[in-house]
Every structure is written in C-alpha cells, then in structure tokens.
C-alpha cells in the first residue's frame, strides 16, 4: 500500500517560519492532488493548501500570502513553507495525497500521521 511520512513541525515564535514535508512511498503508479490540512483543538479539520498534478494551487484565505505549497514529483513529496506564523496557526498538520497504486490500478487517498505546529505569541 501507500505510506506517508511527515516531518518539520515544531515550536516557533510568532513571525517565524517552518517548513513541513510529506513523502509518499509504496506501490504507487502515479500521484494526483496533494494537500495540507490542519486541526486545532476543538475544531474541525480544515484545508490549508492544495496542489494539483499540474501545479495549480489553492489556499485557505487565512494563509494566503504567508504559506506556499510545492511538490517534488520525482520524490513523491509535498512541502508546505509557512512564513509569518501566527498563534492561530497552531494545530496538528496533516498531509493528504491521492493517486493510483499498482494493484489493479486502484485509486488511493492516504493521510500522514500528523505533525504538531505550535506558534507562541
């Protein structure tokens, strides 16, 4: 199947930066959309940013101009560069990757294990 491994979370002061990475491995034929979501305590998981296989991106209004999503197709990896971080960005961040696996060319949608991002004021 498909495994996702996230890295890059941590504790940072307001105004600081972090870069998240999420690498997919397994019997993958191709990868389509990749995205980052976040979930703060007591809140629903929300989309932060997404990128299509063609490179088109979209962002939540709350992060536009501060966060940048990118991908390395050769390494099946998606990144989230987070600048000018605010305390309200504090959450567990999850990556999601969609694609096709080798077995019967079935579609998949996998989630990373989550990485904590904490922004202090």
């Amino acid at each position: 199947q498909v495994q996702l491994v996230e890295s890059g979370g941590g504790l940072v002061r307001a105004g600081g930066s972090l870069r998240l990475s999420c690498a997919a491995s397994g019997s993958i034929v191709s990868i389509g959309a990749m995205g980052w979501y976040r979930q703060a305590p007591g809140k629903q998981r929300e989309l932060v940013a997404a990128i299509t296989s063609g490179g088109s991106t979209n962002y939540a209004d709350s992060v536009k101009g501060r966060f940048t999503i990118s991908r390395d197709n050769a390494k099946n990896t998606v990144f989230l560069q987070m600048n000018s971080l605010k305390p309200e960005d504090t959450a567990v961040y999850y990556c999601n990757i969609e694609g096709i696996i080798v077995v019967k060319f079935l579609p998949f949608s996998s989630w990373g294990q989550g990485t904590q991002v904490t922004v202090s004021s």
Side-chain angles (χ1 to χ4, degrees):
Q1 300 297 345
V2 178
Q3 299 81 37
L4 304 188
V5 176
E6 297 183 28
S7 61
L11 172 65
V12 65
R13 289 188 175 183
S17 298
L18 286 173
R19 188 184 194 222
L20 306 182
S21 300
C22 175
S25 62
S27 302
I28 299 170
V29 173
S30 63
I31 289 181
M34 309 171 94
W36 288 95
Y37 293 73
R38 67 186 180 187
Q39 188 166 18
K43 295 187 177 181
Q44 290 188 333
R45 190 173 297 189
E46 63 174 355
L47 175 67
V48 176
I51 184 168
T52 68
S53 57
S56 296
T57 59
N58 69 285
Y59 297 91
D61 288 342
S62 59
V63 307
K64 283 181 181 177
R66 299 188 298 122
F67 291 10
T68 301
I69 189 170
S70 61
R71 60 192 287 165
D72 183 335
N73 292 326
K75 296 182 178 180
N76 292 340
T77 300
V78 61
F79 305 96
L80 186 68
Q81 178 67 43
M82 304 184 293
N83 298 329
S84 302
L85 282 161
K86 304 176 181 180
E88 50 263 44
D89 294 319
T90 295
V92 178
Y93 283 70
Y94 300 89
C95 62
N96 175 260
I97 296 179
E98 300 177 346
I100 305 294
I101 58 173
V102 171
V103 178
K104 299 182 179 180
F105 289 85
L106 293 173
F108 73 88
S109 178
S110 294
W111 290 89
Q113 79 278 15
T115 185
Q116 177 70 46
V117 171
T118 302
V119 184
S120 63
S121 58

